[in-house]
Amino acid sequence: MIGMNVQLLTYLFVGLSFALYIGIAIWSKAQSTNDFYVAGKDVHPIANGMATAADWMSAASFLSMAGLIAFLGKDGSVYLMGWTGGYVLLALLLAPYLRKFGKFTVPDFIGERYYSSFARKVAVLCLIFISFTYIAGQMRGVGIVFSRFLEVDIETGVIVGMGIVFFYAVLGGMKGITYTQVAQYCVLIFAYLVPAIFISILMTGNAIPQIGFGSTLVDSSIFLLDKLDQVTVELGFNAYTNNTKNTIDIFCITAALMFGTAGLPHVIVRFFTVPSVGDARKSAGYALIFIALLYTTAPAVSAFARMNLIDSIQDQSYSTAPQWFKNWEEIGLIAWQDKNDDGVIRYSSGNALEGTKPIYKELRGDYGERLLENKPNQNNANEVYIDRDIIVLANPEIAELPGWVIALVAAGGLAAALSTAAGLLLVISSSISHDLLKKTYMPHITEKQELRYARIAAAIAIGIAGIFGIYPPAFVAQVVAFAFGLAAATFFPALFLGIFYKRLNKEGAIAGMLGGLIFTATYIIYFKFINPGHNIEEYWLMSISPEGIGSIGMLINFIVAIVVSSLTKEPPKEVYEMVDMIRKPL
Amino acid sequence: MDNKSKEYWNSNLKIVSILLVIWFLVSFGFGILFSDTLDQIKIGGFKLGFWFAQQGSIYIFVLLIFAYVNLMQKLDEKISQEEDSDE
């Protein structure tokens, strides 16, 4: 399938990176709960910035985002602005104050600020749901990389990945995770930039992809984006640089992603690990620089990939089609159905097949292509099914880059998936051992016992995540909207008002969180699971899709919280003092 | 809360509000609401609205956080100096 060289190189790169992660884990073993939950609170802000970036940039950012934007064009901007703009909110509205508060977890803050163990439990519940949703996605990323590049079963791949995470998360806790994430950031950003720079030079002659995709094509006076607009329109798609979604929906999706990002517990907790309030502010800035490096490169990669993809397959006869096309067809992420029996690949807008995914027969067609059970969709002339997740992985092959670049991308994809999985496992385990056991059900356990429970909880969470990876629930993609929508509709208002609105009492906070949670969850469950046939604009509330509804859930949370709070009694004096304390930096 | 703390908090709120107005303007404003209008202007190969949506807003986000870091550092120093001179 792929050349022996590429496979050997991939084993080498992945092996070396794994050895590095394990070495770091042994060097940074956690000794106390302070080490385990918040890395001893002495992580340098630049190191924390890198760790936050790796924690944040998941398999979805690394593998899926550029592919998504390649197919969505300007509509894909919601992910770029949404997943970076949240850091401004984090830095200005949450991180410094939560660091000053100085405890271990996000439910910790909610429990103490709203003097309520019920509020704490609601927070733990939301946290576990959000984090497991996320982990399932990481495991799919690990599975794809392993099966395509190392040619092992997805099961074996997931077990190896879990073994590595188990080793450094259970042993090292936050301390081990932090320093491993620093290494993982370096691996993933290098792996992302190298092919992007290569392709930018090949296509535009400019080594900086961010500028390259606004430049003219090599040997031509036509701008790349103009050419892309022209080609996409010719093939029946919408022009690449125009929006197609309605403005209200784009606005709401971007807002839900931004406020959701600022409310994600595994990101917030990273700011608990630095020595001071000033460091928490700086650390958010460094994190965003490191994230922006990938996020400003991604849309360039998308434009290059879309252009290259069309160029390399359109009107090619299948027998002379490039090798990558056939490789990914073998994996089951590309399919070709020769609608007009001319042996030539015709790529245009519309779904080529009936049904969402290709179902392959054992038989081969006249040209060696895999035959499909799916009936051809005769409403359009498109003959090609392409899974969007393959764009980043296939991009170096499509651009005919050397084998070591392909191997590097595999190692980078694994680094992105593993670093995020580890961060999520940590917040799950610490919310169980700290918030549920120590603070609620077993207040008398010693620190040593708490640490042991934290490790047991991490081990169990890894097991569950592994099962998700091997038997991925079919609804993974469907529930991603959930994670951000819920974080925006539950955590963000509770945290923000907790700091900026002293009068908010426990009744208000709990009513607000439940209101936001129930509204958002009901809307998403209705359109995604109960009545997916109605999941189109004419049935949506104010033309807002389930992906964007978290922003309305957030508004509901704010209104309910403030109204209920003003009708019930003031919070106790200690809470006022606590808020005064977290508002002062020193 | 004593007067000093109130003053500190109000300056803090002012800094945060100004920065968030810019945050809103470059993303929701230039990148979404007025994006199609800005697309009439072209810089190199980029339509301006498209550039804000896929590049410009992100660069400005980074600048905003560092502006906040610096302004707050100055504010922190000013307050701690005033406290010292009181003693």
Side-chain angles (χ1 to χ4, degrees), chain A residues 74 85 91 97 210 214 223 226 241-242 258 281 296 299 583-585, chain B residues 5 8-9 12 23 35 39 42 45 47 54-55 57 59 68 76:
Chain A
K74 190 176 178 187
Y97 308 104
Q210 286 84 342
F223 285 113
D226 290 343
T241 61
N242 286 353
M258 279 192 191
R281 293 181 197 134
T296 54
R583 285 179 178 187
K584 278 193 206 153
Chain B
S5 309
Y8 174 83
W9 185 245
N12 176 17
W23 164 81
S35 190
D39 275 348
K42 246 185 123 179
K47 296 196 271 182
Q54 300 214 334
Q55 295 277 301
S57 56
Y59 298 129
Y68 173 72
D76 289 354

PDB file of all heavy atoms in Angstrom, chain A residues 74 85 91 97 210 214 223 226 241-242 258 281 296 299 583-585, chain B residues 5 8-9 12 23 35 39 42 45 47 54-55 57 59 68 76:
ATOM      1  N   LYS A  74     -15.610  30.085   3.345  1.00  0.00           N
ATOM      2  CA  LYS A  74     -15.708  31.163   4.332  1.00  0.00           C
ATOM      3  C   LYS A  74     -16.593  30.785   5.521  1.00  0.00           C
ATOM      4  O   LYS A  74     -16.353  31.234   6.644  1.00  0.00           O
ATOM      5  CB  LYS A  74     -16.236  32.431   3.673  1.00  0.00           C
ATOM      6  CG  LYS A  74     -16.119  33.648   4.590  1.00  0.00           C
ATOM      7  CD  LYS A  74     -16.560  34.908   3.887  1.00  0.00           C
ATOM      8  CE  LYS A  74     -16.483  36.120   4.808  1.00  0.00           C
ATOM      9  NZ  LYS A  74     -17.071  37.308   4.178  1.00  0.00           N
ATOM     10  N   GLY A  85     -11.114  33.229  19.752  1.00  0.00           N
ATOM     11  CA  GLY A  85     -11.684  34.385  20.445  1.00  0.00           C
ATOM     12  C   GLY A  85     -12.037  34.081  21.896  1.00  0.00           C
ATOM     13  O   GLY A  85     -12.030  34.976  22.740  1.00  0.00           O
ATOM     14  N   ALA A  91      -8.820  35.199  29.234  1.00  0.00           N
ATOM     15  CA  ALA A  91      -7.743  36.007  29.798  1.00  0.00           C
ATOM     16  C   ALA A  91      -8.288  37.216  30.536  1.00  0.00           C
ATOM     17  O   ALA A  91      -7.763  37.605  31.580  1.00  0.00           O
ATOM     18  CB  ALA A  91      -6.795  36.466  28.690  1.00  0.00           C
ATOM     19  N   TYR A  97      -8.783  35.633  37.910  1.00  0.00           N
ATOM     20  CA  TYR A  97      -9.580  35.553  39.137  1.00  0.00           C
ATOM     21  C   TYR A  97      -9.644  34.131  39.662  1.00  0.00           C
ATOM     22  O   TYR A  97      -9.579  33.898  40.866  1.00  0.00           O
ATOM     23  CB  TYR A  97     -10.993  36.085  38.876  1.00  0.00           C
ATOM     24  CG  TYR A  97     -10.957  37.449  38.241  1.00  0.00           C
ATOM     25  CD1 TYR A  97     -11.214  37.620  36.890  1.00  0.00           C
ATOM     26  CD2 TYR A  97     -10.582  38.568  38.995  1.00  0.00           C
ATOM     27  CE1 TYR A  97     -11.136  38.868  36.300  1.00  0.00           C
ATOM     28  CE2 TYR A  97     -10.499  39.819  38.416  1.00  0.00           C
ATOM     29  CZ  TYR A  97     -10.775  39.964  37.066  1.00  0.00           C
ATOM     30  OH  TYR A  97     -10.685  41.193  36.487  1.00  0.00           O
ATOM     31  N   GLN A 210       0.517  31.862   5.622  1.00  0.00           N
ATOM     32  CA  GLN A 210      -0.466  32.911   5.934  1.00  0.00           C
ATOM     33  C   GLN A 210      -0.511  33.984   4.856  1.00  0.00           C
ATOM     34  O   GLN A 210      -1.548  34.604   4.633  1.00  0.00           O
ATOM     35  CB  GLN A 210      -0.143  33.582   7.281  1.00  0.00           C
ATOM     36  CG  GLN A 210      -0.463  32.757   8.506  1.00  0.00           C
ATOM     37  CD  GLN A 210       0.629  31.783   8.884  1.00  0.00           C
ATOM     38  OE1 GLN A 210       1.513  31.457   8.089  1.00  0.00           O
ATOM     39  NE2 GLN A 210       0.575  31.278  10.103  1.00  0.00           N
ATOM     40  N   GLY A 214      -2.839  34.290   0.091  1.00  0.00           N
ATOM     41  CA  GLY A 214      -3.349  35.530  -0.488  1.00  0.00           C
ATOM     42  C   GLY A 214      -2.501  35.983  -1.661  1.00  0.00           C
ATOM     43  O   GLY A 214      -2.613  37.123  -2.099  1.00  0.00           O
ATOM     44  N   PHE A 223      -4.612  35.354  -8.576  1.00  0.00           N
ATOM     45  CA  PHE A 223      -4.556  35.066  -7.154  1.00  0.00           C
ATOM     46  C   PHE A 223      -5.164  33.700  -6.872  1.00  0.00           C
ATOM     47  O   PHE A 223      -6.188  33.325  -7.456  1.00  0.00           O
ATOM     48  CB  PHE A 223      -5.320  36.129  -6.355  1.00  0.00           C
ATOM     49  CG  PHE A 223      -4.602  37.428  -6.251  1.00  0.00           C
ATOM     50  CD1 PHE A 223      -5.098  38.565  -6.869  1.00  0.00           C
ATOM     51  CD2 PHE A 223      -3.415  37.523  -5.526  1.00  0.00           C
ATOM     52  CE1 PHE A 223      -4.430  39.778  -6.768  1.00  0.00           C
ATOM     53  CE2 PHE A 223      -2.750  38.728  -5.424  1.00  0.00           C
ATOM     54  CZ  PHE A 223      -3.247  39.858  -6.045  1.00  0.00           C
ATOM     55  N   ASP A 226      -8.846  33.777  -5.947  1.00  0.00           N
ATOM     56  CA  ASP A 226      -9.718  34.075  -7.092  1.00  0.00           C
ATOM     57  C   ASP A 226      -9.913  32.837  -7.951  1.00  0.00           C
ATOM     58  O   ASP A 226     -11.014  32.510  -8.381  1.00  0.00           O
ATOM     59  CB  ASP A 226      -9.120  35.198  -7.949  1.00  0.00           C
ATOM     60  CG  ASP A 226      -9.176  36.540  -7.230  1.00  0.00           C
ATOM     61  OD1 ASP A 226      -9.943  36.639  -6.248  1.00  0.00           O
ATOM     62  OD2 ASP A 226      -8.458  37.470  -7.641  1.00  0.00           O
ATOM     63  N   THR A 241     -14.843  31.935  -1.153  1.00  0.00           N
ATOM     64  CA  THR A 241     -14.689  33.032  -0.189  1.00  0.00           C
ATOM     65  C   THR A 241     -16.009  33.730   0.146  1.00  0.00           C
ATOM     66  O   THR A 241     -15.998  34.821   0.710  1.00  0.00           O
ATOM     67  CB  THR A 241     -13.684  34.095  -0.690  1.00  0.00           C
ATOM     68  OG1 THR A 241     -14.180  34.636  -1.911  1.00  0.00           O
ATOM     69  CG2 THR A 241     -12.317  33.507  -0.924  1.00  0.00           C
ATOM     70  N   ASN A 242     -17.147  33.088  -0.201  1.00  0.00           N
ATOM     71  CA  ASN A 242     -18.445  33.656   0.198  1.00  0.00           C
ATOM     72  C   ASN A 242     -19.125  32.808   1.257  1.00  0.00           C
ATOM     73  O   ASN A 242     -18.976  31.589   1.268  1.00  0.00           O
ATOM     74  CB  ASN A 242     -19.382  33.739  -1.006  1.00  0.00           C
ATOM     75  CG  ASN A 242     -18.984  34.854  -1.941  1.00  0.00           C
ATOM     76  OD1 ASN A 242     -18.087  35.647  -1.634  1.00  0.00           O
ATOM     77  ND2 ASN A 242     -19.634  34.910  -3.083  1.00  0.00           N
ATOM     78  N   MET A 258     -16.993  30.489  21.128  1.00  0.00           N
ATOM     79  CA  MET A 258     -16.139  31.357  21.944  1.00  0.00           C
ATOM     80  C   MET A 258     -16.441  31.206  23.430  1.00  0.00           C
ATOM     81  O   MET A 258     -15.549  30.972  24.235  1.00  0.00           O
ATOM     82  CB  MET A 258     -16.347  32.813  21.566  1.00  0.00           C
ATOM     83  CG  MET A 258     -15.592  33.236  20.330  1.00  0.00           C
ATOM     84  SD  MET A 258     -15.667  35.031  20.237  1.00  0.00           S
ATOM     85  CE  MET A 258     -15.044  35.305  18.598  1.00  0.00           C
ATOM     86  N   ARG A 281      -2.437  35.709  33.559  1.00  0.00           N
ATOM     87  CA  ARG A 281      -2.761  36.586  32.421  1.00  0.00           C
ATOM     88  C   ARG A 281      -1.788  36.344  31.268  1.00  0.00           C
ATOM     89  O   ARG A 281      -2.190  36.138  30.123  1.00  0.00           O
ATOM     90  CB  ARG A 281      -2.625  38.052  32.829  1.00  0.00           C
ATOM     91  CG  ARG A 281      -3.626  38.524  33.851  1.00  0.00           C
ATOM     92  CD  ARG A 281      -3.372  40.016  34.125  1.00  0.00           C
ATOM     93  NE  ARG A 281      -3.990  40.463  35.352  1.00  0.00           N
ATOM     94  CZ  ARG A 281      -3.375  41.208  36.271  1.00  0.00           C
ATOM     95  NH1 ARG A 281      -2.108  41.587  36.113  1.00  0.00           N
ATOM     96  NH2 ARG A 281      -4.020  41.587  37.354  1.00  0.00           N
ATOM     97  N   THR A 296      -3.837  30.168  12.237  1.00  0.00           N
ATOM     98  CA  THR A 296      -3.723  31.032  11.065  1.00  0.00           C
ATOM     99  C   THR A 296      -3.154  30.253   9.871  1.00  0.00           C
ATOM    100  O   THR A 296      -3.321  30.652   8.732  1.00  0.00           O
ATOM    101  CB  THR A 296      -2.833  32.264  11.330  1.00  0.00           C
ATOM    102  OG1 THR A 296      -1.573  31.818  11.821  1.00  0.00           O
ATOM    103  CG2 THR A 296      -3.483  33.191  12.339  1.00  0.00           C
ATOM    104  N   PRO A 299      -6.327  27.831   7.691  1.00  0.00           N
ATOM    105  CA  PRO A 299      -7.116  28.242   6.522  1.00  0.00           C
ATOM    106  C   PRO A 299      -6.286  28.271   5.242  1.00  0.00           C
ATOM    107  O   PRO A 299      -6.824  28.068   4.141  1.00  0.00           O
ATOM    108  CB  PRO A 299      -7.611  29.643   6.884  1.00  0.00           C
ATOM    109  CG  PRO A 299      -6.736  30.110   7.971  1.00  0.00           C
ATOM    110  CD  PRO A 299      -6.280  28.888   8.704  1.00  0.00           C
ATOM    111  N   ARG A 583     -10.863  39.541  43.520  1.00  0.00           N
ATOM    112  CA  ARG A 583     -10.740  40.682  42.609  1.00  0.00           C
ATOM    113  C   ARG A 583      -9.417  41.413  42.762  1.00  0.00           C
ATOM    114  O   ARG A 583      -9.050  42.212  41.916  1.00  0.00           O
ATOM    115  CB  ARG A 583     -11.888  41.665  42.853  1.00  0.00           C
ATOM    116  CG  ARG A 583     -13.208  41.166  42.290  1.00  0.00           C
ATOM    117  CD  ARG A 583     -14.289  42.163  42.577  1.00  0.00           C
ATOM    118  NE  ARG A 583     -15.564  41.748  42.013  1.00  0.00           N
ATOM    119  CZ  ARG A 583     -16.645  42.523  42.015  1.00  0.00           C
ATOM    120  NH1 ARG A 583     -16.591  43.731  42.555  1.00  0.00           N
ATOM    121  NH2 ARG A 583     -17.766  42.097  41.493  1.00  0.00           N
ATOM    122  N   LYS A 584      -8.721  41.181  43.900  1.00  0.00           N
ATOM    123  CA  LYS A 584      -7.421  41.839  44.101  1.00  0.00           C
ATOM    124  C   LYS A 584      -6.319  40.915  43.614  1.00  0.00           C
ATOM    125  O   LYS A 584      -6.287  39.753  43.990  1.00  0.00           O
ATOM    126  CB  LYS A 584      -7.215  42.124  45.590  1.00  0.00           C
ATOM    127  CG  LYS A 584      -7.909  43.374  46.051  1.00  0.00           C
ATOM    128  CD  LYS A 584      -7.381  43.737  47.421  1.00  0.00           C
ATOM    129  CE  LYS A 584      -8.408  44.535  48.171  1.00  0.00           C
ATOM    130  NZ  LYS A 584      -8.271  44.374  49.616  1.00  0.00           N
ATOM    131  N   PRO A 585      -5.395  41.412  42.805  1.00  0.00           N
ATOM    132  CA  PRO A 585      -4.398  40.521  42.223  1.00  0.00           C
ATOM    133  C   PRO A 585      -3.347  40.049  43.231  1.00  0.00           C
ATOM    134  O   PRO A 585      -2.783  38.983  43.062  1.00  0.00           O
ATOM    135  CB  PRO A 585      -3.746  41.367  41.133  1.00  0.00           C
ATOM    136  CG  PRO A 585      -3.977  42.773  41.546  1.00  0.00           C
ATOM    137  CD  PRO A 585      -5.251  42.790  42.321  1.00  0.00           C
TER     138      PRO A 585
ATOM    139  N   SER B   5      -9.419  49.857  46.683  1.00  0.00           N
ATOM    140  CA  SER B   5      -9.847  48.658  45.974  1.00  0.00           C
ATOM    141  C   SER B   5     -10.916  48.998  44.954  1.00  0.00           C
ATOM    142  O   SER B   5     -10.949  48.448  43.859  1.00  0.00           O
ATOM    143  CB  SER B   5     -10.413  47.627  46.949  1.00  0.00           C
ATOM    144  OG  SER B   5      -9.512  47.432  47.997  1.00  0.00           O
ATOM    145  N   TYR B   8      -9.270  50.591  42.004  1.00  0.00           N
ATOM    146  CA  TYR B   8      -8.582  49.562  41.234  1.00  0.00           C
ATOM    147  C   TYR B   8      -9.585  48.787  40.385  1.00  0.00           C
ATOM    148  O   TYR B   8      -9.395  48.577  39.190  1.00  0.00           O
ATOM    149  CB  TYR B   8      -7.853  48.604  42.185  1.00  0.00           C
ATOM    150  CG  TYR B   8      -7.225  47.424  41.485  1.00  0.00           C
ATOM    151  CD1 TYR B   8      -5.973  47.548  40.876  1.00  0.00           C
ATOM    152  CD2 TYR B   8      -7.872  46.194  41.416  1.00  0.00           C
ATOM    153  CE1 TYR B   8      -5.395  46.482  40.219  1.00  0.00           C
ATOM    154  CE2 TYR B   8      -7.303  45.124  40.756  1.00  0.00           C
ATOM    155  CZ  TYR B   8      -6.062  45.265  40.167  1.00  0.00           C
ATOM    156  OH  TYR B   8      -5.497  44.199  39.520  1.00  0.00           O
ATOM    157  N   TRP B   9     -10.686  48.389  41.013  1.00  0.00           N
ATOM    158  CA  TRP B   9     -11.688  47.572  40.319  1.00  0.00           C
ATOM    159  C   TRP B   9     -12.318  48.343  39.163  1.00  0.00           C
ATOM    160  O   TRP B   9     -12.510  47.802  38.077  1.00  0.00           O
ATOM    161  CB  TRP B   9     -12.749  47.098  41.314  1.00  0.00           C
ATOM    162  CG  TRP B   9     -13.741  46.163  40.697  1.00  0.00           C
ATOM    163  CD1 TRP B   9     -15.075  46.377  40.526  1.00  0.00           C
ATOM    164  CD2 TRP B   9     -13.486  44.857  40.159  1.00  0.00           C
ATOM    165  NE1 TRP B   9     -15.664  45.304  39.930  1.00  0.00           N
ATOM    166  CE2 TRP B   9     -14.714  44.352  39.675  1.00  0.00           C
ATOM    167  CE3 TRP B   9     -12.327  44.075  40.022  1.00  0.00           C
ATOM    168  CZ2 TRP B   9     -14.823  43.102  39.082  1.00  0.00           C
ATOM    169  CZ3 TRP B   9     -12.451  42.833  39.420  1.00  0.00           C
ATOM    170  CH2 TRP B   9     -13.681  42.357  38.956  1.00  0.00           C
ATOM    171  N   ASN B  12      -9.927  48.553  36.316  1.00  0.00           N
ATOM    172  CA  ASN B  12      -9.901  47.226  35.715  1.00  0.00           C
ATOM    173  C   ASN B  12     -11.093  47.048  34.769  1.00  0.00           C
ATOM    174  O   ASN B  12     -10.940  46.640  33.616  1.00  0.00           O
ATOM    175  CB  ASN B  12      -9.925  46.185  36.854  1.00  0.00           C
ATOM    176  CG  ASN B  12     -10.005  44.749  36.348  1.00  0.00           C
ATOM    177  OD1 ASN B  12      -9.727  44.482  35.188  1.00  0.00           O
ATOM    178  ND2 ASN B  12     -10.395  43.839  37.211  1.00  0.00           N
ATOM    179  N   TRP B  23     -12.529  43.517  20.652  1.00  0.00           N
ATOM    180  CA  TRP B  23     -12.696  42.069  20.412  1.00  0.00           C
ATOM    181  C   TRP B  23     -13.968  41.813  19.611  1.00  0.00           C
ATOM    182  O   TRP B  23     -13.974  41.069  18.640  1.00  0.00           O
ATOM    183  CB  TRP B  23     -12.744  41.368  21.779  1.00  0.00           C
ATOM    184  CG  TRP B  23     -13.282  39.966  21.791  1.00  0.00           C
ATOM    185  CD1 TRP B  23     -12.592  38.835  21.472  1.00  0.00           C
ATOM    186  CD2 TRP B  23     -14.607  39.555  22.161  1.00  0.00           C
ATOM    187  NE1 TRP B  23     -13.417  37.739  21.617  1.00  0.00           N
ATOM    188  CE2 TRP B  23     -14.642  38.146  22.040  1.00  0.00           C
ATOM    189  CE3 TRP B  23     -15.750  40.220  22.587  1.00  0.00           C
ATOM    190  CZ2 TRP B  23     -15.788  37.406  22.318  1.00  0.00           C
ATOM    191  CZ3 TRP B  23     -16.891  39.476  22.876  1.00  0.00           C
ATOM    192  CH2 TRP B  23     -16.907  38.091  22.737  1.00  0.00           C
ATOM    193  N   SER B  35     -18.887  41.833   7.093  1.00  0.00           N
ATOM    194  CA  SER B  35     -17.879  41.125   6.317  1.00  0.00           C
ATOM    195  C   SER B  35     -18.110  41.281   4.811  1.00  0.00           C
ATOM    196  O   SER B  35     -17.181  41.552   4.047  1.00  0.00           O
ATOM    197  CB  SER B  35     -17.905  39.662   6.702  1.00  0.00           C
ATOM    198  OG  SER B  35     -16.828  38.995   6.155  1.00  0.00           O
ATOM    199  N   ASP B  39     -15.710  42.982   2.027  1.00  0.00           N
ATOM    200  CA  ASP B  39     -15.205  42.168   0.923  1.00  0.00           C
ATOM    201  C   ASP B  39     -15.057  42.967  -0.376  1.00  0.00           C
ATOM    202  O   ASP B  39     -14.375  42.530  -1.302  1.00  0.00           O
ATOM    203  CB  ASP B  39     -16.119  40.956   0.684  1.00  0.00           C
ATOM    204  CG  ASP B  39     -15.756  39.785   1.595  1.00  0.00           C
ATOM    205  OD1 ASP B  39     -14.681  39.832   2.218  1.00  0.00           O
ATOM    206  OD2 ASP B  39     -16.548  38.833   1.679  1.00  0.00           O
ATOM    207  N   LYS B  42     -10.123  44.968  -1.564  1.00  0.00           N
ATOM    208  CA  LYS B  42      -9.206  43.840  -1.709  1.00  0.00           C
ATOM    209  C   LYS B  42      -7.785  44.242  -1.378  1.00  0.00           C
ATOM    210  O   LYS B  42      -7.297  45.274  -1.815  1.00  0.00           O
ATOM    211  CB  LYS B  42      -9.270  43.311  -3.138  1.00  0.00           C
ATOM    212  CG  LYS B  42      -9.838  41.908  -3.197  1.00  0.00           C
ATOM    213  CD  LYS B  42      -9.799  41.341  -4.587  1.00  0.00           C
ATOM    214  CE  LYS B  42      -9.016  40.041  -4.554  1.00  0.00           C
ATOM    215  NZ  LYS B  42      -8.964  39.423  -5.883  1.00  0.00           N
ATOM    216  N   GLY B  45      -4.390  39.239  -2.530  1.00  0.00           N
ATOM    217  CA  GLY B  45      -5.397  38.282  -2.977  1.00  0.00           C
ATOM    218  C   GLY B  45      -6.558  38.139  -2.011  1.00  0.00           C
ATOM    219  O   GLY B  45      -7.461  37.351  -2.249  1.00  0.00           O
ATOM    220  N   LYS B  47      -9.924  39.258   0.023  1.00  0.00           N
ATOM    221  CA  LYS B  47     -11.017  40.179   0.251  1.00  0.00           C
ATOM    222  C   LYS B  47     -10.973  40.521   1.740  1.00  0.00           C
ATOM    223  O   LYS B  47     -10.755  39.638   2.580  1.00  0.00           O
ATOM    224  CB  LYS B  47     -12.351  39.527  -0.122  1.00  0.00           C
ATOM    225  CG  LYS B  47     -12.433  39.195  -1.610  1.00  0.00           C
ATOM    226  CD  LYS B  47     -13.858  38.914  -2.048  1.00  0.00           C
ATOM    227  CE  LYS B  47     -14.215  37.450  -1.885  1.00  0.00           C
ATOM    228  NZ  LYS B  47     -15.566  37.115  -2.343  1.00  0.00           N
ATOM    229  N   GLN B  54     -10.702  34.974   8.647  1.00  0.00           N
ATOM    230  CA  GLN B  54      -9.814  33.807   8.699  1.00  0.00           C
ATOM    231  C   GLN B  54      -8.409  34.115   9.214  1.00  0.00           C
ATOM    232  O   GLN B  54      -7.645  33.196   9.477  1.00  0.00           O
ATOM    233  CB  GLN B  54      -9.727  33.140   7.315  1.00  0.00           C
ATOM    234  CG  GLN B  54     -11.095  32.662   6.816  1.00  0.00           C
ATOM    235  CD  GLN B  54     -11.031  31.393   5.991  1.00  0.00           C
ATOM    236  OE1 GLN B  54     -10.032  31.091   5.375  1.00  0.00           O
ATOM    237  NE2 GLN B  54     -12.122  30.643   5.981  1.00  0.00           N
ATOM    238  N   GLN B  55      -8.030  35.408   9.301  1.00  0.00           N
ATOM    239  CA  GLN B  55      -6.682  35.744   9.748  1.00  0.00           C
ATOM    240  C   GLN B  55      -6.678  36.900  10.754  1.00  0.00           C
ATOM    241  O   GLN B  55      -6.234  36.750  11.886  1.00  0.00           O
ATOM    242  CB  GLN B  55      -5.814  36.146   8.534  1.00  0.00           C
ATOM    243  CG  GLN B  55      -5.557  35.056   7.531  1.00  0.00           C
ATOM    244  CD  GLN B  55      -4.410  34.172   7.964  1.00  0.00           C
ATOM    245  OE1 GLN B  55      -3.302  34.624   8.161  1.00  0.00           O
ATOM    246  NE2 GLN B  55      -4.684  32.907   8.157  1.00  0.00           N
ATOM    247  N   SER B  57      -8.744  38.702  12.635  1.00  0.00           N
ATOM    248  CA  SER B  57      -9.318  38.682  13.976  1.00  0.00           C
ATOM    249  C   SER B  57      -8.391  37.940  14.935  1.00  0.00           C
ATOM    250  O   SER B  57      -8.208  38.368  16.077  1.00  0.00           O
ATOM    251  CB  SER B  57     -10.704  38.041  13.946  1.00  0.00           C
ATOM    252  OG  SER B  57     -10.643  36.761  13.382  1.00  0.00           O
ATOM    253  N   TYR B  59      -5.056  37.567  14.838  1.00  0.00           N
ATOM    254  CA  TYR B  59      -3.881  38.377  15.213  1.00  0.00           C
ATOM    255  C   TYR B  59      -4.276  39.420  16.257  1.00  0.00           C
ATOM    256  O   TYR B  59      -3.537  39.675  17.217  1.00  0.00           O
ATOM    257  CB  TYR B  59      -3.298  39.091  13.988  1.00  0.00           C
ATOM    258  CG  TYR B  59      -2.797  38.148  12.899  1.00  0.00           C
ATOM    259  CD1 TYR B  59      -3.193  38.298  11.579  1.00  0.00           C
ATOM    260  CD2 TYR B  59      -1.930  37.107  13.216  1.00  0.00           C
ATOM    261  CE1 TYR B  59      -2.745  37.444  10.587  1.00  0.00           C
ATOM    262  CE2 TYR B  59      -1.485  36.246  12.227  1.00  0.00           C
ATOM    263  CZ  TYR B  59      -1.896  36.421  10.914  1.00  0.00           C
ATOM    264  OH  TYR B  59      -1.457  35.558   9.945  1.00  0.00           O
ATOM    265  N   TYR B  68      -3.799  43.796  27.480  1.00  0.00           N
ATOM    266  CA  TYR B  68      -4.386  43.608  28.814  1.00  0.00           C
ATOM    267  C   TYR B  68      -3.301  43.302  29.848  1.00  0.00           C
ATOM    268  O   TYR B  68      -3.273  43.900  30.934  1.00  0.00           O
ATOM    269  CB  TYR B  68      -5.417  42.487  28.747  1.00  0.00           C
ATOM    270  CG  TYR B  68      -5.984  42.060  30.076  1.00  0.00           C
ATOM    271  CD1 TYR B  68      -6.878  42.876  30.767  1.00  0.00           C
ATOM    272  CD2 TYR B  68      -5.648  40.826  30.637  1.00  0.00           C
ATOM    273  CE1 TYR B  68      -7.411  42.480  31.986  1.00  0.00           C
ATOM    274  CE2 TYR B  68      -6.178  40.418  31.846  1.00  0.00           C
ATOM    275  CZ  TYR B  68      -7.054  41.246  32.527  1.00  0.00           C
ATOM    276  OH  TYR B  68      -7.574  40.848  33.731  1.00  0.00           O
ATOM    277  N   ASP B  76      -1.443  47.377  38.520  1.00  0.00           N
ATOM    278  CA  ASP B  76      -1.013  46.692  39.748  1.00  0.00           C
ATOM    279  C   ASP B  76       0.129  47.441  40.418  1.00  0.00           C
ATOM    280  O   ASP B  76       0.149  47.627  41.632  1.00  0.00           O
ATOM    281  CB  ASP B  76      -0.544  45.260  39.439  1.00  0.00           C
ATOM    282  CG  ASP B  76      -1.701  44.347  39.066  1.00  0.00           C
ATOM    283  OD1 ASP B  76      -2.860  44.804  39.163  1.00  0.00           O
ATOM    284  OD2 ASP B  76      -1.441  43.197  38.676  1.00  0.00           O
TER     285      ASP B  76
END
